[in-house]
Amino acid sequence: ETLRHSHCFLSRMGVESSTELSRQFQEITSWPKTRVESVIKSYAEGEYDFGIDYQVIMNITGYDPDDAKELLKLHSKNDSGIVNAITVLISIIALGNSENRNEVGRLEAIFDLMDFSHNSQISLDELTILLLCIGASFAFILNVKDGEDDSKDPVIIEFAKQIYDSLGKKHTSNITKDELVEWTKEHVFVHGATNVNDLYSKLAQIATPSAEGKDE
């Protein structure tokens, strides 16, 4: 129950209004949609690896070295100097263009990060990676330290399979963008979970089913 957040706060900039953001994350909330899309396009056209360093962050964001290193640090689990590009892009999508809270549009943009064939569908493995990256991104944004380890990964992996099962899909088939959007509308957005705090809370609850069971 401690992971449940109140829904009484206004949902601005992708997080609850009471949430304190780091300077870098705060700045991204002022980025217009065109800049968010430009960053995603720069990453795709640069054909960069999943693991990126601060120089790649400079290239795709236009940041100076200090700001690029700071954004990298905010997404770092260790001192390797390499972070997950998809996780960084999810953070930018979730926080940017804060004047226009189109959560379906954000979900579609996040889906597209894993849609390498550009046919609006991804595999179960790709959905799993996407969910893991979403969880990591939101933990970094909210500065939730226990969300930065890998202990909850097996449960998130199982959660991806449950989404497939609820849609009556074989695990060997692909899930379409429309199917994931409709599933999220029905099971997540309908309950008012449309900001980073609430969405992370949902993932945290899924990853700690034993706590839920004790309450019952």
Side-chain angles (χ1 to χ4, degrees):
E1 288 296 327
T2 57
L3 289 171
R4 297 181 187 275
H5 294 270
S6 170
H7 291 237
C8 64
F9 296 100
L10 292 176
S11 176
R12 65 180 180 110
M13 70 178 72
V15 296
E16 288 177 352
S17 57
S18 60
T19 302
E20 291 187 13
L21 293 174
S22 69
R23 181 183 66 83
Q24 288 289 342
F25 285 143
Q26 180 71 42
E27 180 186 315
I28 291 172
T29 65
S30 68
W31 289 9
K33 183 180 180 181
T34 51
R35 183 169 182 182
V36 173
E37 291 174 340
S38 176
V39 171
I40 297 170
K41 183 179 180 182
S42 295
Y43 172 75
E45 292 183 348
E47 297 184 349
Y48 297 110
D49 292 333
F50 281 125
I52 59 175
D53 58 15
Y54 83 92
Q55 290 178 316
V56 174
I57 292 178
M58 283 177 57
N59 291 343
I60 66 176
T61 63
Y63 272 159
D64 62 30
D66 289 341
D67 283 344
K69 289 177 181 178
E70 182 61 27
L71 188 60
L72 180 138
K73 183 180 178 181
L74 289 170
H75 289 89
S76 298
K77 294 184 178 182
N78 51 49
D79 298 324
S80 68
I82 301 294
V83 295
N84 186 306
I86 303 299
T87 301
V88 173
L89 292 174
I90 288 172
S91 295
I92 291 172
I93 292 169
L95 293 174
N97 189 28
S98 62
E99 295 300 315
N100 179 18
R101 299 309 307 169
N102 181 351
E103 304 311 328
V104 169
R106 281 174 168 71
L107 177 59
E108 290 177 338
I110 290 172
F111 183 98
D112 289 344
L113 297 176
M114 294 301 297
D115 181 14
F116 304 114
S117 59
H118 305 293
N119 61 359
S120 296
Q121 54 184 340
I122 59 176
S123 68
L124 174 58
D125 286 344
E126 289 167 337
L127 174 62
T128 301
I129 292 170
L130 203 57
L131 290 173
L132 291 170
C133 290
I134 289 171
S137 164
F138 289 3
F140 289 132
I141 290 172
L142 299 174
N143 196 26
V144 180
K145 295 302 180 184
D146 66 355
E148 297 173 13
D149 61 40
D150 299 324
S151 63
K152 296 183 173 77
D153 286 5
V155 185
I156 299 299
I157 291 169
E158 185 61 29
F159 174 50
K161 294 178 182 177
Q162 291 173 5
I163 293 176
Y164 259 62
D165 292 342
S166 70
L167 291 169
K169 301 185 69 69
K170 293 182 179 179
H171 292 182
T172 53
S173 65
N174 289 342
I175 184 171
T176 68
K177 184 191 300 186
D178 288 344
E179 286 174 331
L180 185 60
V181 167
E182 289 306 313
W183 185 93
T184 306
K185 282 182 180 178
E186 181 179 349
H187 297 276
V188 182
F189 292 164
V190 72
H191 299 297
T194 58
N195 59 38
V196 169
N197 306 69
D198 290 335
L199 292 170
Y200 181 76
S201 180
K202 289 282 184 186
L203 281 175
Q205 291 167 24
I206 289 164
T208 53
S210 58
E212 292 271 315
K214 289 178 182 177
D215 290 339
E216 296 174 1

